[in-house]
Amino acid sequence: MDCEIISVGTELLLGQIANTDAQYISQRLSELGINVYYHTVVGDNKQRLLDALNVAVKRADLIITTGGLGPTVDDLTKETVAEFLGLELQMHEPSLQHIKEHFNRTGRQVSDNNIKQALLPKGSIPIPNPNGTAPGVIIEHEKGIFIVLPGPPLELQPMFEETVVPFLQKCSDYTIVSKVVRIFGIGESKVEEMVKDLLDEQDNPTIAPLVGHGDVTLRITARVRKGEDAYALIDPVERQIRQRLGDAVYGVDDDTLSKVVGRMLIERELKLALAESCTGGLISDKLTDVPGISMAFDRGFVTYSNEAKMELLGVSNDTLNRFGAVSPQTAEEMALGALAHSHADIALAVTGIAGPDGGTPSKPVGLAYMAIADSYGAYSSKHVFNGNRRRIKEIGALTALNLLRLHLLKNND
């Protein structure tokens, strides 16, 4: 079964809201073994929606619309779909009763506009909306299967899970399962080169390289009949990828570098201290998004000025004068200072030039030094990043987390 998602709403075209409905539905349909080949976005306009439906029925068996089910004049989706299919609208009494009860609970009067939401295409299957007033509908027609859903995600998602998924499960004998392998420290072109033969030979499962926010991912997708084990196809491919990319693979699926590093610290019962200059607390921010990180994150120092580096971390004035704030010597003293002024077992420090100003021929914008200190001493590494100030800070924070991850891996060995 092939599906097209038609998202209705001028606010989507204007970029006022993100189209999270289409993303969510596509993810769920893939798990049900239903292919999504097209996303269409159309404004609140009857003729343009009719045009989109005319195109969709020529290339999809299943058409799902989102949005345009509200009570206002520009909410035209249900009426337009009914017209397209030649179906009259009829009052659905259970939906009307639900709307009246909804308004009674909030002490408001039901308007004629709200009552129109209970008009459903003849012969359609109602989709109850426990979190709103607009019901959805499923229509089985000679032109295909049409599923009409409201736009608000808090309404759409429960309706999809409770009514649409059970309906669609009867329509497909297959399921599609994906696993995402996450990679940091190797660029996209290099990753593709290292797994080129796997990409060339792919069939089932398929492998799709994607570039994320600073990392690279390889999505492995297998299609199997219901009841079969998709991971029997996925796991051997994942093993080959890991063998080739080694420690550059930092996680899978929803893993982030901060989650992975946080877990490693917690599992090893290690306390961490951070000393940040050019990243301005961004590493601390990422780590504190990790549940349970209070078990491992002792404290962080944001020492942007030279004075702060000297006063809070004990970086020597001589080091700053001789080598500068952006130097391996300063990074190492920052890490050692964070270790000495905390209860941590390990410290990570970053200093650099985020730009757009402040660079020189010998120390360009994007230059950063990172250091790790523990009971064995400190060592530093040099990095040069491209991009604007925000990107340099972001990629710098991720690189620092990855440096710590690799240190912990090595130390564990």
Side-chain angles (χ1 to χ4, degrees):
M1 182 179 291
D2 298 336
C3 174
E4 178 161 344
I5 300 170
I6 302 177
S7 304
V8 182
T10 303
E11 67 277 9
L12 295 169
L13 292 173
L14 295 175
Q16 294 172 340
I17 63 171
N19 194 359
T20 57
D21 285 344
Q23 179 187 31
Y24 162 78
I25 292 171
S26 291
Q27 289 173 342
R28 292 296 285 118
L29 289 179
S30 72
E31 295 165 5
L32 295 168
I34 297 172
N35 304 308
V36 179
Y37 290 135
Y38 299 96
H39 283 187
T40 298
V41 180
V42 62
D44 299 301
N45 180 281
K46 177 181 175 182
Q47 187 55 53
R48 287 195 282 274
L49 178 53
L50 284 171
D51 293 341
L53 289 166
N54 267 307
V55 172
V57 295
K58 297 172 184 175
R59 59 191 187 187
D61 315 296
L62 168 66
I63 295 154
I64 299 178
T65 70
T66 68
L69 298 188
T72 60
V73 174
D74 61 349
D75 289 308
L76 300 167
T77 303
K78 178 179 57 183
E79 292 84 350
T80 305
V81 170
E83 179 181 325
F84 177 75
L85 298 176
L87 301 174
E88 63 176 306
L89 294 173
Q90 296 180 335
M91 182 60 65
H92 184 247
E93 288 300 330
S95 294
L96 177 61
Q97 187 61 31
H98 170 76
I99 292 169
K100 290 179 178 179
E101 290 173 358
H102 177 86
F103 276 85
N104 286 338
R105 284 195 301 271
T106 56
R108 293 178 294 161
Q109 195 73 26
V110 180
S111 67
D112 291 340
N113 285 347
N114 292 111
I115 290 175
K116 80 156 189 166
Q117 292 180 299
L119 291 169
L120 305 185
K122 183 178 180 180
S124 63
I125 302 170
I127 305 175
N129 184 351
N131 299 309
T133 56
V137 293
I138 299 171
I139 305 169
E140 296 182 88
H141 193 271
E142 62 183 15
K143 291 184 177 181
I145 298 172
F146 294 76
I147 299 177
V148 180
L149 295 166
L154 290 177
E155 298 179 28
L156 179 146
Q157 292 183 18
M159 295 168 70
F160 195 88
E161 296 298 332
E162 293 167 18
T163 304
V164 177
V165 168
F167 173 83
L168 292 177
Q169 282 175 331
K170 303 173 186 175
C171 302
S172 176
D173 295 326
Y174 289 87
T175 185
I176 297 175
V177 177
S178 292
K179 189 171 189 178
V180 177
V181 179
R182 299 193 171 276
I183 303 146
F184 192 89
I186 305 177
E188 179 190 18
S189 58
K190 183 64 175 177
V191 169
E192 287 195 32
E193 180 184 318
M194 295 174 73
V195 297
K196 187 176 186 306
D197 60 315
L198 298 180
L199 295 173
D200 292 341
E201 297 166 4
Q202 64 178 318
D203 179 23
N204 186 24
T206 59
I207 308 169
L210 303 167
V211 178
H213 299 290
D215 63 358
V216 176
T217 63
L218 293 172
R219 187 186 65 223
I220 311 168
T221 303
R223 185 173 186 264
V224 296
R225 287 189 174 274
K226 288 179 181 177
E228 293 180 349
D229 182 11
Y231 289 99
L233 298 175
I234 291 173
D235 291 346
V237 176
E238 181 188 354
R239 283 195 294 271
Q240 290 186 70
I241 291 171
R242 287 180 177 273
Q243 287 169 1
R244 298 184 187 195
L245 302 185
D247 290 341
V249 176
Y250 73 83
V252 296
D253 295 334
D254 295 330
D255 281 338
T256 63
L257 280 166
S258 53
K259 284 182 182 178
V260 171
V261 169
R263 286 200 301 264
M264 293 173 77
L265 290 168
I266 292 169
E267 288 168 2
R268 289 162 172 75
E269 298 182 347
L270 294 174
K271 291 282 188 179
L272 171 70
L274 294 174
E276 300 185 61
S277 184
C278 64
T279 49
L282 188 56
I283 304 171
S284 300
D285 177 62
K286 290 180 180 297
L287 275 176
T288 52
D289 281 339
V290 179
I293 196 62
S294 59
M295 297 171 61
F297 185 26
D298 182 63
R299 67 193 69 189
F301 302 87
V302 179
T303 54
Y304 217 66
S305 67
N306 285 353
E307 290 76 14
K309 291 178 178 66
M310 291 187 288
E311 293 170 9
L312 297 177
L313 300 174
V315 176
S316 75
N317 187 49
D318 180 60
T319 297
L320 292 166
N321 287 332
R322 288 178 62 198
F323 304 107
V326 182
S327 65
Q329 294 84 357
T330 296
E332 290 176 18
E333 288 193 21
M334 288 172 65
L336 289 167
L339 197 63
H341 292 81
S342 68
H343 300 290
D345 306 292
I346 188 170
L348 171 66
V350 180
T351 181
I353 305 169
D357 304 315
T360 66
S362 61
K363 293 186 177 183
V365 169
L367 174 66
Y369 289 96
M370 302 178 183
I372 290 179
D374 57 18
S375 58
Y376 297 100
Y379 72 93
S380 58
S381 57
K382 177 182 177 180
H383 307 267
V384 181
F385 306 117
N386 296 315
N388 59 24
R389 184 180 181 86
R390 183 64 202 176
R391 172 166 170 75
I392 289 171
K393 289 176 64 178
E394 176 71 19
I395 197 69
L398 293 174
T399 301
L401 286 167
N402 192 56
L403 187 70
L404 180 56
R405 179 184 70 89
L406 294 173
H407 176 87
L408 293 170
L409 280 175
K410 181 180 178 181
N411 189 58
N412 191 51
D413 292 340

